[in-house]
Protein backbone atom coordinates (compact mmCIF):
# COMPACT_ATOMS: atom_id res chain seq x y z
CA UNK A 1 0.00 0.00 0.00
CA UNK A 2 1.27 3.50 -0.83
CA UNK A 3 -0.41 6.91 -1.28
CA UNK A 4 -1.17 6.42 -4.97
CA UNK A 5 -2.91 3.07 -4.45
CA UNK A 6 -4.29 3.56 -0.94
CA UNK A 7 -7.82 3.92 -2.24
CA UNK A 8 -7.71 0.87 -4.50
CA UNK A 9 -9.72 -2.18 -3.52
CA UNK A 10 -7.69 -5.08 -2.24
CA UNK A 11 -8.47 -8.75 -1.65
CA UNK A 12 -8.14 -10.43 1.74
CA UNK A 13 -8.35 -14.22 1.89
CA UNK A 14 -9.53 -15.53 5.26
CA UNK A 15 -9.68 -19.26 5.92
CA UNK A 16 -11.42 -21.21 8.69
CA UNK A 17 -13.44 -18.24 9.92
CA UNK A 18 -17.21 -18.10 9.79
CA UNK A 19 -19.38 -15.10 9.14
CA UNK A 20 -20.17 -13.12 12.32
CA UNK A 21 -22.62 -14.91 14.58
CA UNK A 22 -26.04 -13.32 14.84
CA UNK A 23 -27.50 -12.61 18.28
CA UNK A 24 -30.30 -15.10 17.77
CA UNK A 25 -27.71 -17.78 16.94
CA UNK A 26 -25.74 -17.00 20.08
CA UNK A 27 -28.89 -17.37 22.18
CA UNK A 28 -29.52 -20.79 20.62
CA UNK A 29 -26.07 -22.28 21.29
CA UNK A 30 -26.75 -23.59 24.78
CA UNK A 31 -30.16 -24.92 23.78
CA UNK A 32 -28.69 -26.66 20.74
CA UNK A 33 -26.16 -28.51 22.86
CA UNK A 34 -28.86 -30.06 25.00
CA UNK A 35 -31.09 -30.87 22.02
CA UNK A 36 -28.28 -32.45 20.00
CA UNK A 37 -27.18 -34.53 22.93
CA UNK A 38 -30.66 -35.90 23.48
CA UNK A 39 -31.49 -36.37 19.79
CA UNK A 40 -28.31 -37.94 18.39
CA UNK A 41 -27.00 -40.05 21.25
CA UNK A 42 -27.06 -43.78 20.41
CA UNK A 43 -27.88 -46.58 22.80
CA UNK A 44 -25.02 -48.53 24.32
CA UNK A 45 -25.72 -52.28 24.16
CA UNK A 46 -23.04 -53.34 26.64
CA UNK A 47 -19.77 -52.20 28.20
CA UNK A 48 -17.60 -53.39 25.31
CA UNK A 49 -19.67 -52.85 22.18
CA UNK A 50 -21.75 -49.94 20.86
CA UNK A 51 -24.48 -50.54 18.31
CA UNK A 52 -24.95 -47.63 15.95
CA UNK A 53 -28.06 -47.45 13.83
CA UNK A 54 -27.14 -45.33 10.83
CA UNK A 55 -30.24 -43.55 9.63
CA UNK A 56 -30.89 -43.06 5.97
CA UNK A 57 -30.18 -39.71 4.32
CA UNK A 58 -33.88 -38.90 4.21
CA UNK A 59 -34.25 -39.73 7.91
CA UNK A 60 -31.28 -37.55 8.80
CA UNK A 61 -32.64 -34.68 6.77
CA UNK A 62 -36.00 -35.05 8.51
CA UNK A 63 -34.35 -35.11 11.93
CA UNK A 64 -32.31 -32.02 11.09
CA UNK A 65 -35.47 -30.23 9.96
CA UNK A 66 -37.24 -31.23 13.16
CA UNK A 67 -34.23 -30.09 15.16
CA UNK A 68 -34.23 -26.74 13.38
CA UNK A 69 -37.94 -26.24 14.08
CA UNK A 70 -37.54 -27.09 17.76
CA UNK A 71 -34.47 -24.85 18.04
CA UNK A 72 -36.20 -21.91 16.39
CA UNK A 73 -39.16 -22.35 18.73
CA UNK A 74 -36.92 -22.45 21.79
CA UNK A 75 -35.04 -19.34 20.65
CA UNK A 76 -38.35 -17.58 20.08
CA UNK A 77 -39.58 -18.54 23.55
CA UNK A 78 -36.36 -17.31 25.18
CA UNK A 79 -36.38 -14.07 23.21
CA UNK A 80 -40.04 -13.27 23.98
CA UNK A 81 -39.99 -14.54 27.57
CA UNK A 82 -41.60 -12.27 30.16
CA UNK A 83 -38.59 -12.78 32.46
CA UNK A 84 -34.98 -11.66 31.95
CA UNK A 85 -32.71 -14.42 30.62
CA UNK A 86 -29.01 -13.98 29.95
CA UNK A 87 -26.05 -16.28 29.48
CA UNK A 88 -22.27 -16.18 29.80
CA UNK A 89 -19.44 -18.30 28.47
CA UNK A 90 -16.85 -20.01 30.66
CA UNK A 91 -14.88 -16.75 30.82
CA UNK A 92 -17.84 -14.82 32.21
CA UNK A 93 -18.57 -12.82 29.05
CA UNK A 94 -22.17 -12.27 27.98
CA UNK A 95 -23.20 -14.40 24.99
CA UNK A 96 -26.97 -14.34 25.49
CA UNK A 97 -29.25 -11.43 26.37
CA UNK A 98 -32.98 -11.55 25.73
CA UNK A 99 -35.33 -8.64 25.08
CA UNK A 100 -36.65 -8.55 28.67
CA UNK A 101 -33.13 -8.16 30.04
CA UNK A 102 -32.55 -5.36 27.53
CA UNK A 103 -35.83 -3.68 28.50
CA UNK A 104 -35.13 -3.75 32.24
CA UNK A 105 -31.51 -2.63 32.10
CA UNK A 106 -31.64 -0.29 29.09
CA UNK A 107 -28.69 -2.21 27.60
CA UNK A 108 -29.38 -3.45 24.08
CA UNK A 109 -28.46 -6.93 22.88
CA UNK A 110 -25.74 -5.54 20.65
CA UNK A 111 -24.20 -3.62 23.55
CA UNK A 112 -24.42 -6.51 26.02
CA UNK A 113 -22.92 -9.28 23.89
CA UNK A 114 -19.25 -9.73 24.75
CA UNK A 115 -19.31 -7.62 27.92
CA UNK A 116 -18.04 -9.20 31.17
CA UNK A 117 -20.98 -10.05 33.41
CA UNK A 118 -19.20 -8.57 36.44
CA UNK A 119 -19.15 -5.16 34.73
CA UNK A 120 -22.96 -5.23 34.63
CA UNK A 121 -23.40 -6.05 38.32
CA UNK A 122 -23.76 -3.54 41.16
CA UNK A 123 -20.79 -3.42 43.56
CA UNK A 124 -22.67 -5.02 46.45
CA UNK A 125 -23.61 -8.00 44.24
CA UNK A 126 -20.20 -8.67 42.65
CA UNK A 127 -19.07 -11.19 45.28
CA UNK A 128 -22.43 -12.99 45.14
CA UNK A 129 -22.29 -13.30 41.34
CA UNK A 130 -18.63 -14.38 41.38
CA UNK A 131 -19.42 -17.12 43.87
CA UNK A 132 -22.45 -18.21 41.86
CA UNK A 133 -20.35 -18.26 38.67
CA UNK A 134 -17.54 -20.27 40.28
CA UNK A 135 -19.94 -22.87 41.64
CA UNK A 136 -21.66 -23.16 38.26
CA UNK A 137 -18.33 -23.88 36.57
CA UNK A 138 -18.01 -26.79 39.00
CA UNK A 139 -21.48 -27.98 38.04
CA UNK A 140 -23.28 -26.64 41.12
CA UNK A 141 -26.41 -24.78 40.04
CA UNK A 142 -27.62 -22.35 42.68
CA UNK A 143 -31.23 -21.27 42.96
CA UNK A 144 -33.08 -18.14 44.11
CA UNK A 145 -30.02 -15.90 44.46
CA UNK A 146 -30.69 -12.16 44.67
CA UNK A 147 -28.46 -9.94 42.55
CA UNK A 148 -28.50 -6.33 41.32
CA UNK A 149 -27.79 -5.31 37.74
CA UNK A 150 -26.73 -1.84 36.66
CA UNK A 151 -29.00 0.19 34.40
CA UNK A 152 -28.01 2.12 31.31
CA UNK A 153 -29.39 4.66 28.86
CA UNK A 154 -33.04 5.51 29.41
CA UNK A 155 -33.19 3.30 32.52
CA UNK A 156 -30.10 4.68 34.24
CA UNK A 157 -31.99 7.16 36.41
CA UNK A 158 -34.29 4.43 37.74
CA UNK A 159 -31.55 2.80 39.78
CA UNK A 160 -30.41 -0.85 39.77
CA UNK A 161 -32.56 -3.81 38.78
CA UNK A 162 -33.10 -6.38 41.54
CA UNK A 163 -33.37 -9.96 40.27
CA UNK A 164 -33.75 -13.36 41.85
CA UNK A 165 -31.94 -15.74 39.49
CA UNK A 166 -31.42 -19.46 38.96
CA UNK A 167 -28.22 -20.72 37.32
CA UNK A 168 -28.32 -23.42 34.66
CA UNK A 169 -25.07 -24.98 33.42
CA UNK A 170 -24.49 -25.54 29.71
CA UNK A 171 -22.33 -28.58 28.95
CA UNK A 172 -20.61 -30.06 25.92
CA UNK A 173 -20.78 -33.71 24.89
CA UNK A 174 -18.02 -34.52 27.38
CA UNK A 175 -20.07 -32.99 30.22
CA UNK A 176 -17.69 -30.07 30.57
CA UNK A 177 -19.34 -26.81 31.63
CA UNK A 178 -18.98 -24.36 28.76
CA UNK A 179 -21.32 -21.64 29.97
CA UNK A 180 -24.02 -20.61 32.41
CA UNK A 181 -27.54 -19.42 31.68
CA UNK A 182 -29.29 -17.22 34.23
CA UNK A 183 -33.07 -17.14 34.40
CA UNK A 184 -34.27 -14.26 36.55
CA UNK A 185 -37.37 -12.78 38.10
CA UNK A 186 -37.64 -9.01 38.43
CA UNK A 187 -38.33 -8.00 42.04
CA UNK A 188 -37.43 -4.33 41.71
CA UNK A 189 -40.96 -2.99 42.21
CA UNK A 190 -41.69 -5.31 45.12
CA UNK A 191 -38.43 -4.39 46.84
CA UNK A 192 -39.10 -0.68 46.40
CA UNK A 193 -42.55 -1.07 47.92
CA UNK A 194 -41.20 -3.13 50.82
CA UNK A 195 -38.42 -0.62 51.49
CA UNK A 196 -40.90 2.23 51.41
CA UNK A 197 -43.23 0.30 53.70
CA UNK A 198 -40.36 -0.39 56.10
CA UNK A 199 -39.44 3.30 56.17
CA UNK A 200 -43.06 4.29 56.73
CA UNK A 201 -43.40 1.71 59.48
CA UNK A 202 -40.27 3.07 61.10
CA UNK A 203 -41.59 6.62 60.93
CA UNK A 204 -44.99 5.51 62.22
CA UNK A 205 -43.54 3.62 65.19
CA UNK A 206 -41.23 6.54 65.92
CA UNK A 207 -44.20 8.91 66.09
CA UNK A 208 -46.50 6.61 68.05
CA UNK A 209 -43.85 5.69 70.64
CA UNK A 210 -42.28 9.14 70.91
CA UNK A 211 -42.70 10.59 74.43
CA UNK A 212 -42.08 14.13 73.17
CA UNK A 213 -44.58 16.76 74.31
CA UNK A 214 -44.76 17.93 70.69
CA UNK A 215 -46.56 14.72 69.66
CA UNK A 216 -50.34 15.13 70.10
CA UNK A 217 -52.61 12.50 71.64
CA UNK A 218 -53.16 9.78 69.02
CA UNK A 219 -55.22 6.61 69.12
CA UNK A 220 -56.32 4.17 66.43
CA UNK A 221 -59.09 1.61 65.97
CA UNK A 222 -59.70 -1.16 63.44
CA UNK A 223 -62.81 -1.49 61.27
CA UNK A 224 -64.85 -3.08 64.08
CA UNK A 225 -63.91 -0.43 66.65
CA UNK A 226 -61.18 -2.27 68.57
CA UNK A 227 -58.35 -0.06 69.86
CA UNK A 228 -55.05 -0.73 68.05
CA UNK A 229 -52.87 2.18 69.19
CA UNK A 230 -52.77 4.43 72.22
CA UNK A 231 -49.75 6.68 72.36
CA UNK A 232 -47.91 8.19 75.32
CA UNK A 233 -49.76 11.50 74.97
CA UNK A 234 -53.11 9.66 75.28
CA UNK A 235 -51.84 8.00 78.44
CA UNK A 236 -50.97 11.39 79.91
CA UNK A 237 -54.28 12.90 78.78
CA UNK A 238 -56.58 10.14 80.06
CA UNK A 239 -54.56 8.42 82.77
CA UNK A 240 -55.22 5.10 80.99
CA UNK A 241 -52.11 3.10 80.08
CA UNK A 242 -51.54 1.71 76.61
CA UNK A 243 -51.86 -1.92 77.72
CA UNK A 244 -55.20 -1.09 79.34
CA UNK A 245 -56.62 0.35 76.10
CA UNK A 246 -55.17 -1.93 73.42
CA UNK A 247 -57.53 -4.66 72.12
CA UNK A 248 -60.53 -3.17 73.92
CA UNK A 249 -63.58 -1.77 72.17
CA UNK A 250 -63.09 1.99 71.99
CA UNK A 251 -66.78 2.69 72.53
CA UNK A 252 -68.04 0.74 75.49
CA UNK A 253 -64.75 -0.27 77.12
CA UNK A 254 -62.35 2.68 76.67
CA UNK A 255 -64.82 5.54 76.31
CA UNK A 256 -67.96 4.65 78.24
CA UNK A 257 -71.11 6.10 79.79
CA UNK A 258 -70.51 4.09 82.98
CA UNK A 259 -68.03 4.49 85.82
CA UNK A 260 -65.16 2.56 84.25
CA UNK A 261 -62.75 3.52 81.46
CA UNK A 262 -62.91 7.14 80.35
CA UNK A 263 -66.48 8.21 81.07
CA UNK A 264 -67.85 10.66 78.47
CA UNK A 265 -69.87 13.67 79.47
CA UNK A 266 -73.30 12.21 78.62
CA UNK A 267 -75.21 9.78 76.36
CA UNK A 268 -75.48 12.44 73.66
CA UNK A 269 -71.67 12.69 73.44
CA UNK A 270 -71.38 8.90 73.27
CA UNK A 271 -73.91 8.81 70.42
CA UNK A 272 -72.04 11.53 68.50
CA UNK A 273 -68.82 9.51 68.77
CA UNK A 274 -70.56 6.39 67.46
CA UNK A 275 -72.08 8.34 64.54
CA UNK A 276 -68.66 9.80 63.71
CA UNK A 277 -66.88 6.44 63.65
CA UNK A 278 -69.65 4.65 61.75
CA UNK A 279 -69.69 7.39 59.11
CA UNK A 280 -65.93 7.20 58.52
CA UNK A 281 -66.03 3.40 58.36
CA UNK A 282 -68.75 3.74 55.71
CA UNK A 283 -66.47 5.96 53.63
CA UNK A 284 -67.78 9.40 54.56
CA UNK A 285 -65.57 12.43 55.21
CA UNK A 286 -65.71 13.55 58.83
CA UNK A 287 -65.74 16.94 60.47
CA UNK A 288 -63.86 17.58 63.70
CA UNK A 289 -65.80 16.77 66.85
CA UNK A 290 -65.60 18.64 70.14
CA UNK A 291 -66.33 16.32 73.06
CA UNK A 292 -65.52 15.91 76.72
CA UNK A 293 -64.78 13.03 79.11
CA UNK A 294 -63.54 12.37 82.63
CA UNK A 295 -60.02 11.01 83.01
CA UNK A 296 -59.04 8.21 85.40
CA UNK A 297 -58.76 10.67 88.29
CA UNK A 298 -62.20 12.16 87.60
CA UNK A 299 -60.91 15.35 85.99
CA UNK A 300 -63.05 16.64 83.10
CA UNK A 301 -61.12 16.97 79.82
CA UNK A 302 -62.42 18.61 76.66
CA UNK A 303 -60.78 17.82 73.32
CA UNK A 304 -61.16 18.52 69.60
CA UNK A 305 -61.08 15.18 67.78
CA UNK A 306 -59.85 14.84 64.18
CA UNK A 307 -60.55 11.42 62.67
CA UNK A 308 -59.20 10.01 59.38
CA UNK A 309 -59.83 6.64 57.80
CA UNK A 310 -57.03 4.13 57.23
CA UNK A 311 -56.99 2.08 54.02
CA UNK A 312 -55.01 -0.84 52.64
CA UNK A 313 -53.33 -1.06 49.22
CA UNK A 314 -56.67 -1.89 47.58
CA UNK A 315 -58.42 1.13 49.10
CA UNK A 316 -60.44 -0.91 51.59
CA UNK A 317 -61.08 0.91 54.87
CA UNK A 318 -59.26 -0.91 57.66
CA UNK A 319 -59.78 1.47 60.55
CA UNK A 320 -59.64 5.02 61.86
CA UNK A 321 -56.76 7.18 63.10
Amino acid sequence: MHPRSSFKAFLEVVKWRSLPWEDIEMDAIHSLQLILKGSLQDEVADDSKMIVNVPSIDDRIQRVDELRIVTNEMVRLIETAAVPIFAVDSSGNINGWNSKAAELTGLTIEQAIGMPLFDLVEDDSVDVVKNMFSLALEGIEERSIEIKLRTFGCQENNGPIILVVNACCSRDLKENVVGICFVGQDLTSQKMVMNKYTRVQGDYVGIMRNPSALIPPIFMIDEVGRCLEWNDAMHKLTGMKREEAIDRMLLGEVFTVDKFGCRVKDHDTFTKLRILFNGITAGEDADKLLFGFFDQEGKFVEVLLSANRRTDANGRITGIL
Side-chain angles (χ1 to χ4, degrees):
M1 300 295 291
H2 54 80
R4 291 186 178 276
S5 62
S6 59
F7 297 102
K8 292 182 180 180
F10 66 96
L11 177 66
E12 180 184 7
V13 179
V14 180
K15 294 183 178 180
W16 306 112
R17 181 183 298 175
S18 71
L19 293 174
W21 287 89
E22 296 182 0
D23 294 330
I24 194 170
E25 294 171 328
M26 297 298 294
D27 290 337
I29 286 177
H30 302 303
S31 301
L32 272 172
Q33 291 171 346
L34 297 176
I35 296 170
L36 285 169
K37 183 179 178 182
S39 299
L40 303 180
Q41 186 175 8
D42 296 308
E43 295 182 359
V44 179
D46 52 47
D47 294 338
S48 60
K49 186 177 181 181
M50 178 182 293
I51 299 176
V52 179
N53 297 320
V54 180
S56 65
I57 294 178
D58 290 339
D59 289 340
R60 282 183 287 177
I61 292 175
Q62 182 180 354
R63 293 178 68 179
V64 169
D65 287 339
E66 292 174 354
L67 182 61
R68 178 177 55 80
I69 293 172
V70 172
T71 302
N72 290 339
E73 182 64 17
M74 290 188 66
V75 170
R76 187 185 69 82
L77 291 174
I78 292 173
E79 178 60 26
T80 60
V83 296
I85 301 174
F86 53 95
V88 298
D89 58 23
S90 57
S91 299
N93 297 323
I94 298 289
N95 60 9
W97 192 260
N98 78 340
S99 58
K100 189 63 176 180
E103 174 191 332
L104 292 175
T105 61
L107 191 67
T108 65
I109 297 174
E110 293 78 11
Q111 292 171 325
I113 297 299
M115 290 186 65
L117 173 61
F118 307 121
D119 289 351
L120 305 180
V121 178
E122 284 288 316
D123 293 340
D124 55 353
S125 292
V126 170
D127 291 339
V128 174
V129 174
K130 284 184 177 179
N131 182 64
M132 194 177 187
F133 178 77
S134 299
L135 291 175
L137 291 180
E138 298 174 6
I140 302 173
E141 301 174 335
E142 289 198 298
R143 296 287 185 268
S144 301
I145 304 299
E146 183 177 307
I147 66 172
K148 295 180 182 178
L149 295 183
R150 300 179 187 274
T151 50
F152 304 85
C154 60
Q155 297 290 351
E156 188 170 3
N157 294 331
N158 295 333
I161 298 298
I162 303 173
L163 302 178
V164 171
V165 298
N166 294 340
C168 179
C169 298
S170 299
R171 302 173 186 270
D172 59 19
L173 294 178
K174 296 181 180 180
E175 294 297 321
N176 297 317
V177 176
V178 294
I180 302 101
C181 180
F182 297 91
V183 180
Q185 179 182 359
D186 180 23
L187 295 183
T188 308
S189 298
Q190 294 92 316
K191 285 288 184 179
M192 289 177 62
V193 170
M194 287 302 298
N195 290 340
K196 183 177 180 181
Y197 174 77
T198 301
R199 290 195 299 270
V200 170
Q201 283 290 94
D203 294 341
Y204 160 76
V205 171
I207 292 173
M208 294 300 295
R209 303 288 188 271
N210 196 325
S212 171
L214 299 177
I215 303 298
I218 301 174
F219 61 92
M220 186 187 303
I221 61 174
D222 61 17
E223 63 269 30
V224 298
R226 186 180 299 106
C227 190
L228 298 178
E229 281 294 351
W230 192 264
N231 76 342
D232 188 66
M234 281 300 295
H235 175 199
K236 294 177 180 178
L237 182 70
T238 64
M240 179 178 287
K241 297 179 180 179
R242 183 175 186 274
E243 55 269 24
E244 295 173 337
I246 294 297
D247 290 331
R248 295 182 181 274
M249 294 300 294
L250 186 74
L251 300 180
E253 292 183 303
V254 178
F255 291 115
T256 72
V257 291
D258 299 312
K259 293 184 179 180
F260 61 90
C262 297
R263 183 169 60 87
V264 297
K265 183 178 180 180
D266 48 36
H267 282 277
D268 185 51
T269 301
F270 191 84
T271 301
K272 289 180 179 179
L273 279 173
R274 188 178 296 280
I275 293 173
L276 173 69
F277 295 148
N278 288 343
I280 296 176
T281 304
E284 299 175 3
D285 293 329
D287 294 328
K288 295 181 179 180
L289 176 66
L290 184 66
F291 82 102
F293 62 90
F294 295 92
D295 65 15
Q296 296 287 281
E297 297 180 355
K299 179 183 177 182
F300 184 72
V301 179
E302 195 168 33
V303 298
L304 182 65
L305 179 66
S306 298
N308 298 284
R309 56 178 173 268
R310 300 176 65 237
T311 58
D312 60 16
N314 297 319
R316 187 179 68 87
I317 297 176
T318 58
I320 302 172
L321 175 68

